[in-house]
Amino acid sequence: LLVTTFVLLLVGSLVTSFTFTYQRGESYYEERDFSIANIGLYVADTALDANTFGIRFLQIIYFILAIVTPLENIVVFLVLYFVPMNGRLQRHVFFLSEITFAWSTAEVMMISAIFSTKQIPNFGNAIVDTGCETCYVVGAILRHPFWVYFAGAVLNLVVTFWLFRGAHCCLYDCGKMRVDRSRKGLFC
């Protein structure tokens, strides 16, 4: 399940998730496709000076939180469950998994994409007077490949909580579960 989640999140981050449309009268129509990954690239296009420290810092933080951290969390769980370690090191890796999950924004990106495609046209068209011939009309479409990312984010949430519970019980001696030190990795 962890590998499936990793693949779904990675592929879902790279495929076109939604499209914004811009129309002005009958003469102008433009579509811009976005994926979870390329949103971070377009941040620079919105600034007057794209090469400032602030813009580059925002891009780096976006990529770390939206793409790298969710994938890193899965890798940390793979290490926790499949790499032989002593109990103290396992608890440190478990703590790291809690940190990477807390900073992961896969679920936030999923919800943001859904609601932004529903609300941006309402917001944009309310600002612009749509009664004129030369005004812009903004639209948004949630594309079918987005559901790959959606499945990865939901699966990530479910699998992570399941693995948290199992790891916590193994490492902190919950009930009947015990750590078998003779086996490799964290299995109870």
Side-chain angles (χ1 to χ4, degrees), residues 119-136:
Q119 291 302 316
I120 285 180
N122 296 339
F123 178 74
N125 294 333
I127 292 174
V128 178
D129 180 16
T130 57
C132 68
E133 287 293 317
T134 59
C135 295
Y136 279 99

Side-chain angles (χ1 to χ4, degrees), residues 43-174:
V43 168
D45 294 345
T46 63
L48 296 175
D49 185 7
N51 289 320
T52 63
F53 172 77
I55 295 298
R56 296 303 176 201
F57 180 75
L58 283 174
Q59 286 180 304
I60 291 167
I61 293 299
Y62 173 81
F63 284 117
I64 289 172
L65 295 179
I67 298 168
V68 174
T69 307
L71 298 176
E72 178 186 21
N73 181 248
I74 295 167
V75 171
V76 170
F77 268 118
L78 287 169
V79 169
L80 178 64
Y81 273 85
F82 295 105
V83 174
M85 294 177 265
N86 64 38
R88 183 170 188 253
L89 186 55
Q90 284 177 335
R91 283 188 289 280
H92 287 301
V93 174
F94 177 65
F95 182 67
L96 180 61
S97 72
E98 291 177 318
I99 292 170
T100 57
F101 181 71
W103 281 95
S104 169
T105 60
E107 297 79 17
V108 174
M109 289 303 301
M110 173 191 68
I111 292 169
S112 298
I114 292 169
F115 285 107
S116 68
T117 57
K118 301 300 178 201
Q119 291 302 316
I120 285 180
N122 296 339
F123 178 74
N125 294 333
I127 292 174
V128 178
D129 180 16
T130 57
C132 68
E133 287 293 317
T134 59
C135 295
Y136 279 99
V137 177
V138 180
I141 304 162
L142 196 60
R143 298 291 182 189
H144 293 295
F146 168 76
W147 299 108
V148 173
Y149 189 80
F150 180 88
V154 170
L155 190 60
N156 184 50
L157 188 65
V158 171
V159 168
T160 298
F161 280 120
W162 179 59
L163 293 174
F164 273 149
R165 186 177 185 285
H168 188 271
C169 285
C170 285
L171 295 172
Y172 298 105
D173 206 21
C174 295

Side-chain angles (χ1 to χ4, degrees), residues 12-13 15 17-18 34-40 62 66-67 109 113 146 149:
S13 296
V15 297
S17 295
F18 44 91
F34 293 94
S35 68
I36 301 298
N38 75 5
I39 291 172
Y62 173 81
I67 298 168
M109 289 303 301
F146 168 76
Y149 189 80

